[in-house]
Amino acid sequence: MNPPQPPYPIHDSVKEKLHPEYILYYNANIIDKQQVHYQPIPVSRGSGILLPGAGPPLSVGRTHDYMIKRVQSPGPDVPIRCFTPPDDQKPPKGWPVLIYYHGGGWVLGNINTENVVCTNICNRVKCVVITVDYRLAPEHPWPAAVHDSWEAVLWVQREGHAILDLDMDKVAVGGSSAGGNLAAIMAHKAAAAAAAEPPMMTSSPFRAQLLMVPVTDNTADPSNNATYREYEFTPALPAVKMHWYRDHYLPNPADRSHPEASPLFYDDDDWSLQPRALIVVGELDVLRQEGELYGKKLSDAGVRVDLHVMKGMPHPFLAMDGVLQAGKDAITYMCNTLTEVFD
């Protein structure tokens, strides 16, 4: 059966709920573009842009790419990119640092995908931002991305802090969508490592976790999740597209409830060890409910949670900061949170 072809008009079930700013841009720039889950993966990867609408990257002091050696998992060296502010802005104790994971459903995206977000944070917060080019499915299914992400955390602890002159008392983690999933998992792994006897990390866990439209429950579908059901046909990330990503990353259904695939399912006694969280979700995103539930579990454990629901927005507003005020606001929430915890 041939897949549907463009144009893809906005579904009647969400047409009256979407923000007019999004509708205007969608109808002018996105409606006639082929959907990634209806075309071969290499075609989507070759386009270079996951979605149009991003603002320009901001200037930083320097950008440097590294290939980091593994210490806990098999596989090739892990590529990372480090954005550093100008040297004359460095604090006496070294740079605060954010370790960041890009979105793309664990299938798309690369080290360039979220340069706009990373340079905004580097420029505005005056901190180093490290973004990780983790391996992608279906060539490298779960848990390859988790392993790569954790190796980057270990590298910062082991040697990156000296190479980049980092203040290891001011470390945060973050990511968007699939990257938000990885960031949440890293926060749990870091908290457990720091609490182990003897401690497996040489410094305190993260000051904050920035979870932007995160995937926290890879078992969710319209039968068990209210926002999957209500926004099943939302633009940009309808339920069928989210499951297309999930099925490539987690082809074995038995793996989908593992905490390192669905961090919502970590044991209850882990949650009080978590760092403060910023969680930003779209009102019309299928992932909204699982992001809210994740925030509730943190809050119920006594962890500070700042939750923002972006009115009228589907999933990709963060990547559309050049045309959507919600995207600009989301980046500002990230910058404000980091400025506060790094102060």
Side-chain angles (χ1 to χ4, degrees), residues 184-203:
I185 293 163
M186 295 305 105
H188 279 277
K189 289 174 70 69
E197 291 294 341
M200 297 170 59
M201 300 191 92
T202 58
S203 69

Side-chain angles (χ1 to χ4, degrees), residues 122-147:
C122 177
N123 180 291
R124 294 164 63 178
V125 181
K126 314 305 181 192
C127 71
V128 167
V129 179
I130 299 172
T131 185
V132 183
D133 197 12
Y134 55 87
R135 289 171 294 171
L136 300 176
E139 299 90 340
H140 304 284
W142 181 87
V146 176
H147 289 167

